């Protein structure tokens, strides 16, 4: 019994010890271990504070402002360099990092922790909130189409306290980054007063050169637009089949973007305060120009292949049904293509621009106030887009269809993202939100068969004889060429009566909805003429009630 108890106790102790070791091994590493920190530089000056991420970067910037590159080198992790080269290369790399900080990197001092362990104590929703950090990402800098992360790491020597230093990988990339973003030859040729600090951490030459760069870019864009403008006032809406008019706006935008890229990357390299805003805009300009070109060229090709003229499509005849179907489906495909193009462009912009990527991730990761406001503001637009696609899928209304909407006879001219353009028979245009159009009932006179029957109602007295009007009705229909000879669709019926008299219904067959209303009016007019002739004779046709009594 004693042996069993002893064995069980030993087993429990071993399990507890194993779990303790496992817990310790699962704890995140708090620093990177090295034998010595920059042995080739000697002892770091006492004025250099490397205990926290913020103090380390502040110490580097103080040394850089004083042009103390030997002291600034102690803020870099030079472990990838031989100890014999660190004293020579360290100051050079420190100067290159200072140039990079000034021209490409915007440090968020509010987000940079001032604790030795780098813990974010603000209760953030990020996965590493509350966890000790041994590496912090400051920025991304693009080099040869490859993003280079700029990091600071926490380094712990075998003897001594840990220190926050610019990471070894960043230090190794500094020469190439300095060549790409360092001062250009033109900048080095400028007088020394222009290269001094002005305000907002900008130099005087930037304050002068940036507005000039914008002016030059705008002037070149104007010249290109003029060169491509054969008929300067024409727009894509005025000339939908003109390829020159279609490519003019995107080409102008692309040229202006390229000019600004050449100026800011090869002639003058602006500081981080300007580049942080300018780089995403240049990426956005290039993406928008390319996608704009695709959409406009596709529009021209579709306009040449398929006619979207609502007046021509509204005509009846052989093949018109297929033409309306094709025009409606092509219009829907165009809208879907625009949606896809916008999504692709947004994805490219967000993935290419580090600032935009951070903004996009923050909006997607949290249901913040800005996200809610944008979603609320865009709900109507999204609803209309989905409704326009719904019309294209169920074919409830096609381009060229004759519809009776809200008591007005119209033909469908265009089905856009957010509205349906209707042409009233009088020539007026009726613009209806897509959501309202699909939610309200309307008559589609050409949805299946263009043949239809219109109704003419005459109010006659109780003593009126309908038979003479019935004979006149058939003679009238036989005399009108546009009315088909279909006896089964003809008829005269007394549909109801009241104290004032009887209501007589006359059916009017119409083969074409475009002329149905006109045929109805013509038949009504001629029937009234016949009724007046009969009324002037011995038999009264119309009720004797006065208009006031009828009202």
């Amino acid at each position: 019994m004693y042996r069993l108890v002893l064995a069980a106790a030993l087993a429990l102790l071993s399990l507890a010890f194993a779990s303790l070791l496992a817990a310790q091994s699962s704890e995140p590493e708090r620093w990177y271990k090295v034998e010595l920190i920059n042995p080739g530089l000697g002892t770091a000056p006492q004025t250099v504070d490397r205990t926290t991420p913020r103090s380390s970067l502040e110490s580097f910037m103080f040394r850089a402002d004083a042009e103390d590159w030997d002291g600034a080198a102690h803020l870099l992790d030079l472990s990838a360099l031989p100890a014999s080269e660190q004293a020579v290369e360290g100051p050079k790399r420190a100067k290159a990092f200072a140039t990079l900080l000034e021209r490409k990197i915007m440090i968020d001092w509010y987000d940079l922790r001032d604790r030795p362990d780098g813990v974010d104590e603000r209760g953030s929703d990020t996965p590493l909130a509350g966890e000790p950090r041994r590496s912090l990402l400051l920025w991304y800098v693009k080099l040869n189409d490859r993003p280079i992360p700029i990091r600071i790491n926490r380094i712990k020597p075998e003897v001594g306290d840990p220190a926050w230093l610019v990471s070894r990988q960043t230090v190794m990339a500094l020469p190439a980054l300095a060549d790409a973003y360092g001062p250009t030859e033109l900048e080095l040729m400028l007088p020394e007063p222009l290269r001094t600090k002005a305000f907002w951490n900008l130099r005087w030459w930037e304050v002068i050169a940036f507005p000039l760069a914008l002016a030059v870019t705008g002037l070149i864009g104007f010249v290109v637009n003029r060169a491509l403008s054969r008929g300067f006032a024409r727009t894509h809406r005025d000339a939908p089949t003109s390829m020159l008019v279609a490519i003019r706006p995107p080409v102008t935008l692309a040229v202006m973007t390229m000019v600004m890229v050449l100026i800011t990357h090869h002639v003058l390299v602006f500081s981080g305060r300007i580049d942080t805003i300018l780089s995403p805009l240049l990426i956005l300009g290039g993406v928008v120009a390319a996608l704009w070109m695709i959409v406009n060229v596709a529009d021209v090709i579709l306009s040449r292949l398929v006619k979207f003229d609502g007046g021509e499509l509204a005509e009846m005849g052989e093949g018109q049904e297929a033409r309306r179907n094709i025009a409606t489906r092509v219009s829907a495909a165009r809208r879907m293509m625009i949606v896809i193009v916008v999504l692709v462009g947004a994805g490219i912009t967000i993935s290419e621009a580090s600032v935009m990527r951070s903004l996009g991730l923050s909006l997607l990761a949290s249901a913040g106030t800005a996200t809610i406001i944008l979603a609320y503001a865009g709900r109507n637009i999204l609803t209309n887009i989905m409704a326009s696609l719904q019309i294209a899928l169920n074919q409830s209304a096609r381009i060229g269809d004759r519809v009776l909407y809200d008591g007005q006879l119209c033909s469908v001219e265009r089905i856009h993202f957010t509205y349906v353009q209707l042409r009233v028979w009088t020539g007026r245009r009726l613009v209806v939100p897509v959501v309202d159009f699909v939610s309200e009932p309307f008559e589609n006179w050409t949805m299946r068969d263009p043949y239809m029957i219109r109704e003419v109602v005459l109010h006659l007295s109780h003593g009126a004889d309908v038979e003479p009007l019935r004979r006149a009705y058939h003679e009238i229909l036989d005399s009108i060429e546009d009315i088909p000879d279909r006896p089964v669709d003809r008829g005269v019926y007394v549909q109801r009566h009241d104290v004032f008299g009887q209501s007589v219904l006359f059916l009017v067959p119409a083969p074409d909805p475009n002329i149905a209303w006109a045929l109805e009016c013509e038949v009504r007019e001629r029937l009234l003429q016949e009724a007046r002739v009969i009324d002037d004779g011995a038999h009264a046709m119309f009720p004797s009630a006065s208009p006031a009594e009828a009202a």
Side-chain angles (χ1 to χ4, degrees):
M1 180 64 69
Y2 289 117
R3 291 179 179 177
L4 291 175
V5 173
L6 182 60
L10 290 175
L12 291 175
L13 288 174
S14 62
L15 288 175
F17 185 71
S19 62
L20 181 61
L21 291 177
Q24 291 179 351
S25 61
S26 63
E27 290 182 357
E29 293 288 343
R30 293 182 295 174
W31 45 62
Y32 294 98
K33 296 180 181 180
V34 295
E35 185 175 349
L36 293 172
I37 294 180
N38 301 336
L41 297 181
T43 305
Q46 294 183 354
T47 56
V48 173
D49 186 0
R50 305 183 296 185
T51 56
T52 69
R54 179 180 293 183
S55 66
S56 181
L57 283 179
E58 287 176 345
S59 295
F60 181 87
M61 297 182 73
F62 291 150
R63 303 274 75 76
D65 290 340
E67 296 187 356
D68 179 14
W69 306 118
D70 293 330
H74 287 277
L75 281 306
L76 309 180
D77 182 7
L78 304 174
S79 58
L81 299 174
S84 59
E85 299 179 7
Q86 291 179 359
V88 177
E89 285 294 323
K92 296 180 181 178
R93 303 293 173 100
K95 190 174 182 178
F97 186 65
T99 301
L100 199 65
L101 278 177
E102 180 184 354
R103 294 176 178 268
K104 296 299 294 184
I105 300 176
M106 289 290 294
I107 298 177
D108 186 359
W109 294 101
Y110 292 99
D111 190 56
L112 195 62
R113 305 277 66 82
D114 198 20
R115 292 176 48 134
D117 54 6
V119 171
D120 186 354
E121 71 279 2
R122 297 176 300 173
S124 176
D125 295 331
T126 58
L128 296 177
E131 297 291 337
R133 306 292 297 276
R134 61 173 181 171
S135 181
L136 293 175
L137 177 65
L138 297 179
W139 204 257
Y140 277 104
V141 178
K142 199 169 185 179
L143 181 64
N144 298 327
D145 297 328
R146 181 170 60 92
I148 303 296
I150 307 300
R151 291 183 172 273
I152 55 173
N153 294 339
R154 196 181 189 197
I155 311 298
K156 174 68 169 66
E158 292 184 357
V159 178
D161 298 326
W164 284 93
L165 306 175
V166 178
S167 70
R168 178 180 59 182
Q169 293 80 4
T170 301
V171 171
M172 295 306 297
L174 285 176
L177 293 174
D179 292 339
Y181 300 106
T184 62
E185 295 183 1
L186 178 60
E187 182 180 346
L188 295 175
M189 295 170 59
L190 296 175
E192 185 63 28
L194 292 178
R195 288 187 283 169
T196 57
K197 294 288 184 67
F199 51 85
W200 293 343
N201 206 27
L202 300 177
R203 300 183 184 275
W204 280 111
W205 69 264
E206 294 178 289
V207 176
I208 300 173
F210 186 64
L212 291 178
L214 294 178
V216 170
T217 303
L219 179 61
I220 293 177
F222 179 78
V223 172
V224 171
N225 193 286
R226 272 286 190 178
L228 295 175
S229 298
R230 188 177 58 190
F232 184 67
R234 291 193 304 169
T235 63
H236 188 52
R237 177 180 293 183
D238 301 328
T241 59
S242 174
M243 188 66 72
L244 184 63
V245 174
I247 67 173
R248 184 179 63 202
V251 168
T252 302
L253 180 59
V255 170
M256 293 176 64
T257 302
M258 292 176 59
V259 169
M260 184 59 72
V261 169
L262 292 175
I263 292 176
T264 57
H265 286 73
H266 299 283
V267 180
L268 297 169
V269 179
F270 292 98
S271 63
R273 291 186 178 273
I274 296 177
D275 184 74
T276 301
I277 301 174
L278 191 60
S279 290
L281 292 179
L282 293 179
I283 294 173
L284 183 62
V287 172
V288 169
L291 300 182
W292 197 357
M293 176 76 74
I294 294 173
V295 172
N296 280 10
V297 171
D299 273 352
V300 171
I301 295 174
L302 293 177
S303 298
R304 293 181 178 181
L305 295 177
V306 180
K307 289 187 176 181
F308 294 95
D309 188 352
E312 293 185 9
L313 293 175
E315 297 177 359
M316 297 296 109
E318 185 177 357
Q320 287 294 98
E321 186 79 9
R323 290 181 61 191
R324 283 194 290 270
N325 288 333
I326 292 174
T328 304
R329 289 170 181 169
V330 169
S331 178
R334 174 187 176 274
R335 294 195 298 275
M336 294 184 67
M337 180 189 70
I338 292 176
V339 171
I340 295 173
V341 164
V342 171
L343 293 177
V344 171
I348 294 174
T349 304
I350 292 174
S351 64
E352 288 293 326
S354 59
V355 174
M356 298 293 287
R357 178 168 61 247
S358 300
L359 176 61
L361 290 177
S362 63
L363 290 178
L364 294 175
S366 62
T369 304
T371 308
I372 296 175
I373 292 174
L374 290 176
Y376 183 79
R379 74 192 191 283
N380 290 334
I381 297 177
L382 295 176
T383 303
N384 279 294
I385 291 175
M386 297 305 298
S388 68
L389 296 179
Q390 175 188 344
I391 294 177
L393 293 175
N394 59 27
Q395 296 285 297
S396 59
R398 301 162 301 180
I399 298 176
D401 278 359
R402 181 73 67 172
V403 298
L404 185 65
Y405 179 79
D406 196 22
Q408 303 192 66
L409 184 59
C410 316
S411 61
V412 181
E413 277 196 326
R414 291 286 188 274
I415 302 176
H416 296 275
F417 273 113
T418 57
Y419 66 91
V420 177
Q421 179 178 320
L422 304 175
R423 185 181 187 275
V424 186
W425 67 276
T426 57
R428 296 178 293 113
R429 263 63 178 184
L430 188 64
V431 178
V432 183
V434 184
V435 175
D436 295 341
F437 186 77
V438 299
S439 61
E440 296 291 334
F442 60 90
E443 295 182 18
N444 191 330
W445 290 6
T446 52
M447 188 171 184
R448 290 288 184 182
D449 188 355
Y451 183 84
M452 62 188 308
I453 299 176
R454 301 294 296 168
E455 300 175 352
V456 174
V457 179
L458 297 183
H459 298 284
L460 307 177
S461 67
H462 287 107
D465 187 4
V466 180
E467 189 59 30
L469 277 181
R470 182 177 284 110
R471 291 193 297 269
Y473 160 78
H474 287 288
E475 293 175 359
I476 291 171
L477 295 190
D478 292 337
S479 64
I480 299 177
E481 296 181 358
D482 293 327
I483 295 180
D485 186 13
R486 297 178 63 170
V488 67
D489 294 329
R490 298 186 180 187
V492 178
Y493 307 97
V494 179
Q495 62 178 2
R496 66 186 182 89
H497 72 93
D498 53 25
V499 67
F500 298 107
Q502 56 184 331
S503 297
V504 184
L505 173 66
F506 300 86
L507 301 182
V508 182
D512 188 343
N514 296 309
I515 61 174
W517 186 78
L519 290 177
E520 174 190 340
C521 294
E522 182 179 356
V523 171
R524 180 183 292 108
E525 179 183 356
R526 296 176 65 174
L527 283 173
L528 287 173
Q529 290 176 353
E530 294 293 334
R532 281 193 296 271
V533 172
I534 299 173
D535 186 71
D536 291 339
H539 302 283
M541 292 294 296
F542 299 105
S544 58
S546 65
E549 292 174 338

